[in-house]
Amino acid sequence: MENPFYNLSFCLSATALAQLPADRGAEVAFVGGSNAGKSSVINTIAARKSLARTSKTPGRTRAINVFVLDEAHRLMDLPGFGYARVSQAMKQQWQQTLNRYLQCRRSLRGLVLVMDIRRPMKAFDLELLSWCRDCAMPVHVLLAKSDKLSHGRAAATLDKVGSSLQRFGPQASVQLFSAPARQGVEDARAVLCDWLGLPRAGPKKSPGNKGRDPGA
Ligand SMILES: Nc1nc2c(ncn2[C@@H]2O[C@H](COP(=O)(O)OP(=O)(O)O)[C@@H](O)[C@H]2O)c(=O)[nH]1
Ligand SMILES: [Mg+2]
């Protein structure tokens, strides 16, 4: 079946919430530390090379990049947290913008939390997971760059993160992901399709998933 995300297109870069598209339909937000691999995940899910810009320099993105499938379905690439080389005041302003986005956006259906598999569950990640638990927001963790570890170490990290996720509620799940190896792409698409209310493409089984059955 056709990949429903192939038709994603860049819509706009918002530096303030007022610039976002009208709060209607359904959207999924991608969050995570700078350089974790968010843009690469979006490109891989869309099967497009440079839809979202990928960077070797952490902290470049200072805007919410909005990608649209159609009027009612969007993916939001949120600015990286953590290492952005900006002033303290600007960081605080961003934090407020993001908090407001997370708290007020009614079309937000779930968060994809991207972590570099070599540095998972940082302070920011834990904070976000707690927030998701407290407001019952679905969150799907991608342990990105899984190709950077051996299969054994990647599997062990998946198990470990899967167990730690249990205290963050039943709406939290995790899988491995690699952009160059195309690992976990179908599983990630299936989660997005479920959240966005789109028909799924591709196979239904998902051996790499822990904590949530996307077939349920
Ligand atoms: N080996 C490997 N490198 C990756 C992967 N995903 C991203 N990268 C690299 O990590 C860096 C940051 O990726 P990017 O997608 O820009 O991260 P973002 O800041 O979270 O959007 C870039 O140099 C990417 O090429 C992956 O799955 N495997
Ligand atoms: Mg990026």
Side-chain angles (χ1 to χ4, degrees):
M1 217 197 277
E2 204 189 310
N3 165 22
F5 297 101
Y6 187 73
N7 294 320
L8 266 182
S9 63
F10 176 74
C11 172
L12 57 83
S13 242
T15 50
L17 297 185
Q19 298 162 358
L20 291 178
D23 195 0
R24 282 194 296 266
E27 68 193 32
V28 171
F30 288 72
V31 293
S34 304
N35 222 37
K38 286 180 303 299
S39 300
S40 305
V41 167
I42 292 173
N43 288 335
T44 308
I45 281 170
R48 304 258 297 279
K49 265 201 185 117
S50 47
L51 179 65
R53 257 178 283 162
T54 58
S55 172
K56 293 213 185 295
T57 318
R60 275 286 169 78
T61 323
R62 306 264 201 288
I64 298 178
N65 292 313
V66 182
F67 301 90
V68 294
L69 270 179
D70 54 49
E71 275 178 10
H73 301 99
R74 295 173 295 275
L75 301 186
M76 319 293 271
D77 185 4
L78 299 193
F81 298 91
Y83 325 96
R85 275 193 226 106
V86 294
S87 70
Q88 198 59 36
M90 208 167 148
K91 266 188 195 160
Q92 274 171 11
Q93 202 189 321
W94 257 126
Q95 196 59 54
Q96 275 175 17
T97 302
L98 294 172
N99 286 346
R100 256 189 302 137
Y101 169 80
L102 293 173
Q103 281 159 17
C104 305
R105 192 78 176 165
R106 281 173 311 180
S107 39
L108 183 61
R109 294 289 178 271
L111 296 176
V112 174
L113 174 54
V114 181
M115 302 178 191
D116 186 323
I117 193 168
R118 298 164 297 179
R119 290 177 284 276
M121 302 294 254
K122 307 263 270 190
F124 160 76
D125 300 320
L126 301 176
E127 228 176 271
L128 196 79
L129 286 165
S130 301
W131 178 82
C132 288
R133 178 193 52 208
D134 294 346
C135 62
M137 175 66 73
V139 57
H140 189 60
V141 174
L142 297 184
L143 294 174
K145 311 191 192 183
S146 62
D147 56 285
K148 294 276 192 186
L149 297 184
S150 68
H151 286 297
R153 286 193 57 203
T157 307
L158 177 64
D159 272 350
K160 203 167 158 211
V161 172
S163 322
S164 337
L165 273 189
Q166 284 175 8
R167 69 187 168 97
F168 293 102
Q171 86 303 337
S173 51
V174 60
Q175 64 158 93
L176 299 176
F177 193 94
S178 165
R182 302 270 182 277
Q183 183 180 21
V185 182
E186 289 305 332
D187 289 335
R189 281 183 188 143
V191 170
L192 295 180
C193 285
D194 286 356
W195 285 352
L196 293 171
L198 296 168
R200 283 189 193 185
K204 287 201 168 178
K205 67 185 182 73
S206 45
N209 261 358
K210 287 279 155 70
R212 177 181 188 276
D213 177 10

